[in-house]
Amino acid sequence: MSSSFGTLFRVTTFGESHGGGVGVVIDGCPPKLPITIEEIQRDLDRRRPGQSAITTPRDEPDRAELLSGVFEGQTLGSPIAVLVRNTDARPSAYEDFKDTYRPSHADYTYEAKYGIRNWQGGGRASARETIGRVAAAAIARKLLASTAKVEVLAYVKQVWTITADIDASAVTLAAVESNAVRCPDAGAAAAMIARIDAARRDGDSLGGIVECVCRGVPPGLGEPVFDKLEADLARAVMSLPASKGFEIGSGFAGTTLTGIEHNDPFTAAGGRVRTLTNRSGGVQGGISNGEDIVFRVAFKPTATIRQAQQTVDRQGQAVTLEAKGRHDPCVLPRAVPMVEAMALLVLADHYLRQRAQCG
Amino acid sequence: MSSSFGTLFRVTTFGESHGGGVGVVIDGCPPKLPITIEEIQRDLDRRRPGQSAITTPRDEPDRAELLSGVFEGQTLGSPIAVLVRNTDARPSAYEDFKDTYRPSHADYTYEAKYGIRNWQGGGRASARETIGRVAAAAIARKLLASTAKVEVLAYVKQVWTITADIDASAVTLAAVESNAVRCPDAGAAAAMIARIDAARRDGDSLGGIVECVCRGVPPGLGEPVFDKLEADLARAVMSLPASKGFEIGSGFAGTTLTGIEHNDPFTAAGGRVRTLTNRSGGVQGGISNGEDIVFRVAFKPTATIRQAQQTVDRQGQAVTLEAKGRHDPCVLPRAVPMVEAMALLVLADHYLRQRAQCG
Amino acid sequence: MSSSFGTLFRVTTFGESHGGGVGVVIDGCPPKLPITIEEIQRDLDRRRPGQSAITTPRDEPDRAELLSGVFEGQTLGSPIAVLVRNTDARPSAYEDFKDTYRPSHADYTYEAKYGIRNWQGGGRASARETIGRVAAAAIARKLLASTAKVEVLAYVKQVWTITADIDASAVTLAAVESNAVRCPDAGAAAAMIARIDAARRDGDSLGGIVECVCRGVPPGLGEPVFDKLEADLARAVMSLPASKGFEIGSGFAGTTLTGIEHNDPFTAAGGRVRTLTNRSGGVQGGISNGEDIVFRVAFKPTATIRQAQQTVDRQGQAVTLEAKGRHDPCVLPRAVPMVEAMALLVLADHYLRQRAQCG
Amino acid sequence: MSSSFGTLFRVTTFGESHGGGVGVVIDGCPPKLPITIEEIQRDLDRRRPGQSAITTPRDEPDRAELLSGVFEGQTLGSPIAVLVRNTDARPSAYEDFKDTYRPSHADYTYEAKYGIRNWQGGGRASARETIGRVAAAAIARKLLASTAKVEVLAYVKQVWTITADIDASAVTLAAVESNAVRCPDAGAAAAMIARIDAARRDGDSLGGIVECVCRGVPPGLGEPVFDKLEADLARAVMSLPASKGFEIGSGFAGTTLTGIEHNDPFTAAGGRVRTLTNRSGGVQGGISNGEDIVFRVAFKPTATIRQAQQTVDRQGQAVTLEAKGRHDPCVLPRAVPMVEAMALLVLADHYLRQRAQCG
């Protein structure tokens, strides 16, 4: 069950970074939803490395193929399988690491768990695995937009110590895509890009924070207990490579407020119940209240760097690791579509669950 | 599926705060595990309100009854059902809120979702629901201690702006239980207690941070993709009432480090692979690496306060809410056993999953 | 996961025949469905032993208690827990079998699996476990009747070699309940009752066939591949104690027809597509076609008899087993509500699944 | 969830008969299991149409490709994806049926469910979907053979009214594969082949019964309640196209025995508990007892015939359907590997479940 996500909009990814390919099977998508391979490809292109000078240089065309589940431009209600071939298989590039555990990678833990790993790359720990998630989320996006008018938008909020000033309720996709770092605050974006360039030159890497806003989510999505909307969102984004933290609404900062400062007063506006503030982040008691859902994800600095590092090999001998070649000094811009993807998968699933139980 | 948690150590809770009772069914527990009702009761007593002057005064005996699955002191391998009767049913205390949406409670969202709610209390949103989780976790604790020598310990790290200084690797249960606020830093604990007392007098409430350490977890627990150990931990604790954030290892603070500062160098010690630092928080690539698992959970200030608040009723009319009676000004001490419970449930589940797949 | 059934109308039973009690948690039931404990009790009374001279004499009051999920006569959308206390705990009656494997019972296989069993009765293998299923099905029946006008009716089709002549499309509940054996063919019923009485006197037991008809099932329920409606029905009834076979529509007899003899011609009638014959049994390609769903379940003769039998004890020593006391010579009349229950649970689940995916 | 099967050895199939291809993702397979594409291909070749004059003439090369999860000849523990391209896409052959509901096919029910169907073939109802199951089962077979010495063997027991005489405990794969109809009784096989040839000439079709024996299954597999081994086997084979019935051990015939005639006496032999007879069919109380598991599956005559049939089109107009081209007059020989596949998937899943819960 490790590779499946969701109860009713159920996604199963497969594939290692090296081997035949990576992909996804989406089971439970409603029928008669219009979808084209171009719409899927568009989202895949956003998460692709090598889109700009600041991101990873690996050239991945990532051409998606629809194997099933769509007929004459519409979903059939049957499983939708999407395949992206691996084309950049250069196992020799990894030959040097074959017996070495790269620090803060999954090399050691995979071996500890399985007694075997595909050393020709990161295996399932590779960011390539998220291709399947993003492809599936392109369909979830279509479903949510067509039925519930939901819009999900993520962006870079912080890189290293540089924090952007962004109004979650007003930010647009165009603003996000207006620069290479996907930070809609132009001043902060420029500083971030400069810092990322410096990190590349140093052979070092940077982390940061991605913020995501979900607009138009109807009240009533989410479940009271274990499957609270924030719980499922947390699990979803904490399953992305390099994520180390999640917070919704007031988050960690909210812990320093008192109750009277934190509670969101209710009001009636436009014929429906609203809150005057949104420290709840759009979710109360695990269920959406109709306000914007706003959450943040912390990403550590990428583990792959070019500086020399101390580690051990499979025999437990101390070795010094010095990675060659180019590296991606900051995963944040590419993490943006991944975070969106996970939010879309959670919302699509809860949309169908709500339809099942509450009609 | 809203009320079930776990794949193989599968827990299903039931019950509203008012009605016949609350409880849990645990399916998949291995047979021949020694367990007594006293062991379950002991953990339930830790999460019970009214344990000290600083916590909620509601007197809940919370007497647990084992309905099935245990025979002559040992688990049978069949579902274990535990029931705790509701004894403090005072629906009249809630009569005033019957038509009013309490700010930052689940009143409005439950109505939006279901079109009905049990207004005689918090329904499923009540902290009473966690009785079932804690009861189940007492059995998970026994399973993990008997087979994998795992120890899980949580404590209060922060209340409001008061932060404790605690060494996660050395803290003991005795130190945690040595004061009413369950903060093993005595100085910080005293300040927290004073601040909580002030909040009670003000009719206000406080939030904070609970930290949890899991020791003795063998390498190899967790799954590579969606069911990463940190993802399941995040979901688990974000399903607790009032939680707003989760972080593991370096967490949000780690975003300001660079890769070379953040990576945990490997070393060989005592015949096994270790890390020199633990910014990973005991998990790499979603899988435990044998180091202490350390994570933190942010809790907002409790929504129930006694100060007057603006809100609306079911007809959308503006009303002022003034809660009477006593209230719990700080949920943190009671959240400690709940956080432990969720970590135990996650670890027990992954322990069985690892046994299934990797023998 | 052994004790849960269904994806969206999800039922989890618990309890051994001896111990605190047996019961069920139903998760996923839609809110605002009117339900009373009397409606649940009514169905439980039908499956209760000791209803007539021909069935088992054990006196089980089986008083059901609603612990949660229903408020002011309506479902809340939260888990519905039902508990029935065990009152007839006479462990001494089983003391003699403590170390003996009763032939064709689960004594040996439970020990082989778990290394432990509750020898004070049949444990989870007892027909008492089905109390939870029947209670849950009473709610499923209400759901299906209120939304889709579905009616499910089972009856005894055969006991030993005595076969009844029954028109599945016309049979009524009143006819089924008109005699102790629940066979709506009065002549066959009389012969069956006489044969069952003889079996009781001989200390022997009888098997037979229960047939079930589901009327008013809308076209479209069921899934194309693994979760075909007939597959889920087969699993459902093959999970009942003593069942040995399942067939739908033409079943085993249909294997001797040719394609042109077996195919059901389509026709248009009353503004919708119908079939002229119903050898498909109401399901085509795993999905209901709107015709009556008709299936049959084979039950072996009950394993508990009073005649002397050869067996072994836990030490592998040959022993002769001679059960004392009274026994139930024919489980068929009690199996009727159990078969109905399983069909209702399957249909309720697929009803919600269809609503989720196809709106 | 329609397209997934199993809890721990979890199989998800995808693909329509026409479109990019069909395939499967297997999640949860233990690591370090040796597997080659040739082993998978070998089982696929057995289920392939066009293997002999008596089966369907469609030429399907069905070349399988391993996309992921296997590295240097061993499973990685990650999802194993297998793809088989569709090469025989002749949509024009189906153009005539585009608006017509073929009797006893899934055309009408798919439209009723989804409002859309892939009319270029049978969609998910096509037997091509079982390619994924058979591929997955090849891996399950390897797992079961390597760890538990389990052998699963199916064969044709009956075609039309011609019944074979076969000793389930002694039959061999070589005997099964010795003739085109996969019936190890040579005399019956000859009669079956002649009857199938006649049916082909008539443009008619035949059904029959496949029997399956599982040897070497250790005691303890299966679960007490809903997931009884016979329940999961029943569901598994009732999910195959054209199946109408399932029975295990004594099955329907056992209903005419009395308890003393039917019970299997226990004995001790070779240091373990055995039964003297096997009317239980290797399963007691839902759990394997170590004896051969023997079950039978009834298949209706294939719905595709060449004789003229009465039906309606999508507009509800009566039309006469006359299929052209060649057809498969008897699905039984091809159903043999499919039945084996489903038994293997069930056993592999329960093998892992037993390992998880009972160590």
Side-chain angles (χ1 to χ4, degrees), chain A residues 58-82:
Chain A
R58 178 171 172 177
D59 181 35
E60 302 182 38
D62 291 354
R63 297 314 307 175
E65 181 186 5
L66 258 172
L67 292 173
S68 68
V70 177
F71 180 63
E72 299 182 336
Q74 288 187 305
T75 56
L76 284 165
S78 55
I80 302 167
V82 181

PDB file of all heavy atoms in Angstrom, chain A residues 58-82:
ATOM      1  N   ARG A  58      19.599  18.619 -15.380  1.00  0.00           N
ATOM      2  CA  ARG A  58      19.248  17.372 -16.057  1.00  0.00           C
ATOM      3  C   ARG A  58      18.126  17.618 -17.043  1.00  0.00           C
ATOM      4  O   ARG A  58      17.092  18.182 -16.702  1.00  0.00           O
ATOM      5  CB  ARG A  58      18.816  16.325 -15.018  1.00  0.00           C
ATOM      6  CG  ARG A  58      18.384  15.008 -15.664  1.00  0.00           C
ATOM      7  CD  ARG A  58      18.163  13.919 -14.640  1.00  0.00           C
ATOM      8  NE  ARG A  58      17.579  12.746 -15.279  1.00  0.00           N
ATOM      9  CZ  ARG A  58      17.329  11.608 -14.657  1.00  0.00           C
ATOM     10  NH1 ARG A  58      17.627  11.488 -13.390  1.00  0.00           N
ATOM     11  NH2 ARG A  58      16.801  10.588 -15.293  1.00  0.00           N
ATOM     12  N   ASP A  59      18.329  17.167 -18.240  1.00  0.00           N
ATOM     13  CA  ASP A  59      17.363  17.423 -19.305  1.00  0.00           C
ATOM     14  C   ASP A  59      16.387  16.259 -19.364  1.00  0.00           C
ATOM     15  O   ASP A  59      16.723  15.185 -19.839  1.00  0.00           O
ATOM     16  CB  ASP A  59      18.097  17.584 -20.634  1.00  0.00           C
ATOM     17  CG  ASP A  59      17.128  17.879 -21.758  1.00  0.00           C
ATOM     18  OD1 ASP A  59      16.132  18.575 -21.507  1.00  0.00           O
ATOM     19  OD2 ASP A  59      17.349  17.382 -22.863  1.00  0.00           O
ATOM     20  N   GLU A  60      15.191  16.482 -18.854  1.00  0.00           N
ATOM     21  CA  GLU A  60      14.192  15.424 -18.876  1.00  0.00           C
ATOM     22  C   GLU A  60      13.024  15.856 -19.743  1.00  0.00           C
ATOM     23  O   GLU A  60      12.244  16.709 -19.352  1.00  0.00           O
ATOM     24  CB  GLU A  60      13.654  15.173 -17.465  1.00  0.00           C
ATOM     25  CG  GLU A  60      14.698  14.799 -16.435  1.00  0.00           C
ATOM     26  CD  GLU A  60      14.036  14.520 -15.084  1.00  0.00           C
ATOM     27  OE1 GLU A  60      12.947  13.930 -15.055  1.00  0.00           O
ATOM     28  OE2 GLU A  60      14.602  14.916 -14.068  1.00  0.00           O
ATOM     29  N   PRO A  61      12.885  15.245 -20.908  1.00  0.00           N
ATOM     30  CA  PRO A  61      11.743  15.638 -21.739  1.00  0.00           C
ATOM     31  C   PRO A  61      10.419  15.249 -21.077  1.00  0.00           C
ATOM     32  O   PRO A  61       9.430  15.958 -21.176  1.00  0.00           O
ATOM     33  CB  PRO A  61      11.962  14.849 -23.033  1.00  0.00           C
ATOM     34  CG  PRO A  61      13.391  14.367 -22.982  1.00  0.00           C
ATOM     35  CD  PRO A  61      13.715  14.223 -21.535  1.00  0.00           C
ATOM     36  N   ASP A  62      10.382  14.109 -20.384  1.00  0.00           N
ATOM     37  CA  ASP A  62       9.166  13.717 -19.656  1.00  0.00           C
ATOM     38  C   ASP A  62       7.927  13.746 -20.529  1.00  0.00           C
ATOM     39  O   ASP A  62       6.927  14.403 -20.189  1.00  0.00           O
ATOM     40  CB  ASP A  62       8.944  14.646 -18.444  1.00  0.00           C
ATOM     41  CG  ASP A  62       9.983  14.438 -17.363  1.00  0.00           C
ATOM     42  OD1 ASP A  62      10.795  13.513 -17.478  1.00  0.00           O
ATOM     43  OD2 ASP A  62       9.994  15.235 -16.410  1.00  0.00           O
ATOM     44  N   ARG A  63       7.990  13.038 -21.661  1.00  0.00           N
ATOM     45  CA  ARG A  63       6.804  12.983 -22.521  1.00  0.00           C
ATOM     46  C   ARG A  63       5.819  11.974 -21.943  1.00  0.00           C
ATOM     47  O   ARG A  63       6.119  10.787 -21.842  1.00  0.00           O
ATOM     48  CB  ARG A  63       7.171  12.546 -23.952  1.00  0.00           C
ATOM     49  CG  ARG A  63       8.097  13.456 -24.754  1.00  0.00           C
ATOM     50  CD  ARG A  63       7.785  14.923 -24.738  1.00  0.00           C
ATOM     51  NE  ARG A  63       6.424  15.263 -25.095  1.00  0.00           N
ATOM     52  CZ  ARG A  63       5.924  16.506 -25.053  1.00  0.00           C
ATOM     53  NH1 ARG A  63       6.672  17.522 -24.635  1.00  0.00           N
ATOM     54  NH2 ARG A  63       4.699  16.744 -25.390  1.00  0.00           N
ATOM     55  N   ALA A  64       4.642  12.432 -21.589  1.00  0.00           N
ATOM     56  CA  ALA A  64       3.642  11.554 -20.987  1.00  0.00           C
ATOM     57  C   ALA A  64       2.822  10.851 -22.058  1.00  0.00           C
ATOM     58  O   ALA A  64       2.536  11.431 -23.117  1.00  0.00           O
ATOM     59  CB  ALA A  64       2.722  12.362 -20.092  1.00  0.00           C
ATOM     60  N   GLU A  65       2.459   9.616 -21.780  1.00  0.00           N
ATOM     61  CA  GLU A  65       1.590   8.850 -22.669  1.00  0.00           C
ATOM     62  C   GLU A  65       0.395   8.349 -21.874  1.00  0.00           C
ATOM     63  O   GLU A  65       0.542   7.809 -20.779  1.00  0.00           O
ATOM     64  CB  GLU A  65       2.368   7.658 -23.248  1.00  0.00           C
ATOM     65  CG  GLU A  65       1.554   6.814 -24.207  1.00  0.00           C
ATOM     66  CD  GLU A  65       2.284   5.536 -24.660  1.00  0.00           C
ATOM     67  OE1 GLU A  65       3.388   5.272 -24.153  1.00  0.00           O
ATOM     68  OE2 GLU A  65       1.728   4.830 -25.496  1.00  0.00           O
ATOM     69  N   LEU A  66      -0.794   8.542 -22.431  1.00  0.00           N
ATOM     70  CA  LEU A  66      -2.026   8.057 -21.810  1.00  0.00           C
ATOM     71  C   LEU A  66      -2.261   6.626 -22.274  1.00  0.00           C
ATOM     72  O   LEU A  66      -2.542   6.403 -23.461  1.00  0.00           O
ATOM     73  CB  LEU A  66      -3.202   8.918 -22.250  1.00  0.00           C
ATOM     74  CG  LEU A  66      -3.729   9.958 -21.279  1.00  0.00           C
ATOM     75  CD1 LEU A  66      -4.768  10.832 -21.964  1.00  0.00           C
ATOM     76  CD2 LEU A  66      -4.336   9.294 -20.056  1.00  0.00           C
ATOM     77  N   LEU A  67      -2.170   5.669 -21.367  1.00  0.00           N
ATOM     78  CA  LEU A  67      -2.296   4.274 -21.785  1.00  0.00           C
ATOM     79  C   LEU A  67      -3.738   3.770 -21.738  1.00  0.00           C
ATOM     80  O   LEU A  67      -4.084   2.810 -22.413  1.00  0.00           O
ATOM     81  CB  LEU A  67      -1.437   3.381 -20.881  1.00  0.00           C
ATOM     82  CG  LEU A  67       0.075   3.552 -21.002  1.00  0.00           C
ATOM     83  CD1 LEU A  67       0.777   2.728 -19.934  1.00  0.00           C
ATOM     84  CD2 LEU A  67       0.551   3.137 -22.383  1.00  0.00           C
ATOM     85  N   SER A  68      -4.572   4.381 -20.927  1.00  0.00           N
ATOM     86  CA  SER A  68      -5.921   3.833 -20.735  1.00  0.00           C
ATOM     87  C   SER A  68      -6.816   4.832 -20.038  1.00  0.00           C
ATOM     88  O   SER A  68      -6.356   5.836 -19.499  1.00  0.00           O
ATOM     89  CB  SER A  68      -5.858   2.564 -19.874  1.00  0.00           C
ATOM     90  OG  SER A  68      -5.469   2.895 -18.553  1.00  0.00           O
ATOM     91  N   GLY A  69      -8.101   4.550 -20.044  1.00  0.00           N
ATOM     92  CA  GLY A  69      -9.047   5.284 -19.220  1.00  0.00           C
ATOM     93  C   GLY A  69      -9.627   6.530 -19.846  1.00  0.00           C
ATOM     94  O   GLY A  69     -10.530   7.143 -19.275  1.00  0.00           O
ATOM     95  N   VAL A  70      -9.095   6.925 -21.009  1.00  0.00           N
ATOM     96  CA  VAL A  70      -9.623   8.105 -21.699  1.00  0.00           C
ATOM     97  C   VAL A  70      -9.966   7.686 -23.130  1.00  0.00           C
ATOM     98  O   VAL A  70      -9.179   7.006 -23.793  1.00  0.00           O
ATOM     99  CB  VAL A  70      -8.594   9.253 -21.701  1.00  0.00           C
ATOM    100  CG1 VAL A  70      -9.132  10.448 -22.481  1.00  0.00           C
ATOM    101  CG2 VAL A  70      -8.257   9.661 -20.267  1.00  0.00           C
ATOM    102  N   PHE A  71     -11.140   8.072 -23.586  1.00  0.00           N
ATOM    103  CA  PHE A  71     -11.622   7.648 -24.897  1.00  0.00           C
ATOM    104  C   PHE A  71     -12.320   8.829 -25.552  1.00  0.00           C
ATOM    105  O   PHE A  71     -13.212   9.429 -24.956  1.00  0.00           O
ATOM    106  CB  PHE A  71     -12.590   6.466 -24.724  1.00  0.00           C
ATOM    107  CG  PHE A  71     -13.159   5.934 -26.003  1.00  0.00           C
ATOM    108  CD1 PHE A  71     -12.337   5.364 -26.971  1.00  0.00           C
ATOM    109  CD2 PHE A  71     -14.523   6.002 -26.248  1.00  0.00           C
ATOM    110  CE1 PHE A  71     -12.867   4.861 -28.152  1.00  0.00           C
ATOM    111  CE2 PHE A  71     -15.063   5.498 -27.422  1.00  0.00           C
ATOM    112  CZ  PHE A  71     -14.238   4.934 -28.382  1.00  0.00           C
ATOM    113  N   GLU A  72     -11.870   9.149 -26.746  1.00  0.00           N
ATOM    114  CA  GLU A  72     -12.446  10.279 -27.475  1.00  0.00           C
ATOM    115  C   GLU A  72     -12.483  11.533 -26.601  1.00  0.00           C
ATOM    116  O   GLU A  72     -13.461  12.278 -26.584  1.00  0.00           O
ATOM    117  CB  GLU A  72     -13.845   9.914 -27.996  1.00  0.00           C
ATOM    118  CG  GLU A  72     -13.792   8.734 -28.971  1.00  0.00           C
ATOM    119  CD  GLU A  72     -15.152   8.349 -29.565  1.00  0.00           C
ATOM    120  OE1 GLU A  72     -16.173   8.658 -28.936  1.00  0.00           O
ATOM    121  OE2 GLU A  72     -15.166   7.766 -30.669  1.00  0.00           O
ATOM    122  N   GLY A  73     -11.375  11.745 -25.850  1.00  0.00           N
ATOM    123  CA  GLY A  73     -11.222  12.979 -25.087  1.00  0.00           C
ATOM    124  C   GLY A  73     -11.932  13.038 -23.761  1.00  0.00           C
ATOM    125  O   GLY A  73     -11.917  14.079 -23.090  1.00  0.00           O
ATOM    126  N   GLN A  74     -12.540  11.932 -23.355  1.00  0.00           N
ATOM    127  CA  GLN A  74     -13.260  11.928 -22.080  1.00  0.00           C
ATOM    128  C   GLN A  74     -12.850  10.728 -21.227  1.00  0.00           C
ATOM    129  O   GLN A  74     -12.560   9.647 -21.758  1.00  0.00           O
ATOM    130  CB  GLN A  74     -14.769  11.838 -22.334  1.00  0.00           C
ATOM    131  CG  GLN A  74     -15.388  13.107 -22.888  1.00  0.00           C
ATOM    132  CD  GLN A  74     -16.886  12.984 -22.940  1.00  0.00           C
ATOM    133  OE1 GLN A  74     -17.417  12.050 -23.530  1.00  0.00           O
ATOM    134  NE2 GLN A  74     -17.575  13.917 -22.281  1.00  0.00           N
ATOM    135  N   THR A  75     -12.880  10.919 -19.921  1.00  0.00           N
ATOM    136  CA  THR A  75     -12.602   9.782 -19.042  1.00  0.00           C
ATOM    137  C   THR A  75     -13.736   8.765 -19.151  1.00  0.00           C
ATOM    138  O   THR A  75     -14.895   9.122 -19.347  1.00  0.00           O
ATOM    139  CB  THR A  75     -12.470  10.239 -17.583  1.00  0.00           C
ATOM    140  OG1 THR A  75     -13.667  10.938 -17.206  1.00  0.00           O
ATOM    141  CG2 THR A  75     -11.279  11.164 -17.410  1.00  0.00           C
ATOM    142  N   LEU A  76     -13.344   7.490 -19.002  1.00  0.00           N
ATOM    143  CA  LEU A  76     -14.308   6.388 -19.129  1.00  0.00           C
ATOM    144  C   LEU A  76     -14.853   5.947 -17.772  1.00  0.00           C
ATOM    145  O   LEU A  76     -15.795   5.154 -17.711  1.00  0.00           O
ATOM    146  CB  LEU A  76     -13.630   5.179 -19.785  1.00  0.00           C
ATOM    147  CG  LEU A  76     -13.393   5.230 -21.293  1.00  0.00           C
ATOM    148  CD1 LEU A  76     -12.406   4.138 -21.701  1.00  0.00           C
ATOM    149  CD2 LEU A  76     -14.709   5.069 -22.034  1.00  0.00           C
ATOM    150  N   GLY A  77     -14.227   6.400 -16.693  1.00  0.00           N
ATOM    151  CA  GLY A  77     -14.568   5.862 -15.368  1.00  0.00           C
ATOM    152  C   GLY A  77     -13.671   4.686 -15.012  1.00  0.00           C
ATOM    153  O   GLY A  77     -13.682   4.214 -13.882  1.00  0.00           O
ATOM    154  N   SER A  78     -12.892   4.220 -15.958  1.00  0.00           N
ATOM    155  CA  SER A  78     -11.947   3.119 -15.720  1.00  0.00           C
ATOM    156  C   SER A  78     -10.583   3.702 -15.347  1.00  0.00           C
ATOM    157  O   SER A  78     -10.365   4.905 -15.460  1.00  0.00           O
ATOM    158  CB  SER A  78     -11.854   2.236 -16.961  1.00  0.00           C
ATOM    159  OG  SER A  78     -11.506   3.005 -18.090  1.00  0.00           O
ATOM    160  N   PRO A  79      -9.643   2.868 -14.883  1.00  0.00           N
ATOM    161  CA  PRO A  79      -8.354   3.408 -14.445  1.00  0.00           C
ATOM    162  C   PRO A  79      -7.603   4.127 -15.561  1.00  0.00           C
ATOM    163  O   PRO A  79      -7.514   3.624 -16.679  1.00  0.00           O
ATOM    164  CB  PRO A  79      -7.571   2.178 -13.977  1.00  0.00           C
ATOM    165  CG  PRO A  79      -8.487   1.033 -14.002  1.00  0.00           C
ATOM    166  CD  PRO A  79      -9.759   1.419 -14.651  1.00  0.00           C
ATOM    167  N   ILE A  80      -7.087   5.274 -15.225  1.00  0.00           N
ATOM    168  CA  ILE A  80      -6.312   6.082 -16.165  1.00  0.00           C
ATOM    169  C   ILE A  80      -4.841   5.826 -15.870  1.00  0.00           C
ATOM    170  O   ILE A  80      -4.367   6.101 -14.765  1.00  0.00           O
ATOM    171  CB  ILE A  80      -6.637   7.580 -15.970  1.00  0.00           C
ATOM    172  CG1 ILE A  80      -8.142   7.821 -16.162  1.00  0.00           C
ATOM    173  CG2 ILE A  80      -5.816   8.436 -16.934  1.00  0.00           C
ATOM    174  CD1 ILE A  80      -8.612   9.187 -15.678  1.00  0.00           C
ATOM    175  N   ALA A  81      -4.134   5.263 -16.855  1.00  0.00           N
ATOM    176  CA  ALA A  81      -2.707   4.995 -16.668  1.00  0.00           C
ATOM    177  C   ALA A  81      -1.898   5.966 -17.514  1.00  0.00           C
ATOM    178  O   ALA A  81      -2.197   6.176 -18.696  1.00  0.00           O
ATOM    179  CB  ALA A  81      -2.374   3.558 -17.059  1.00  0.00           C
ATOM    180  N   VAL A  82      -0.907   6.573 -16.892  1.00  0.00           N
ATOM    181  CA  VAL A  82      -0.016   7.508 -17.582  1.00  0.00           C
ATOM    182  C   VAL A  82       1.420   6.998 -17.416  1.00  0.00           C
ATOM    183  O   VAL A  82       1.824   6.636 -16.301  1.00  0.00           O
ATOM    184  CB  VAL A  82      -0.129   8.932 -17.001  1.00  0.00           C
ATOM    185  CG1 VAL A  82       0.794   9.900 -17.740  1.00  0.00           C
ATOM    186  CG2 VAL A  82      -1.571   9.423 -17.048  1.00  0.00           C
TER     187      VAL A  82
END
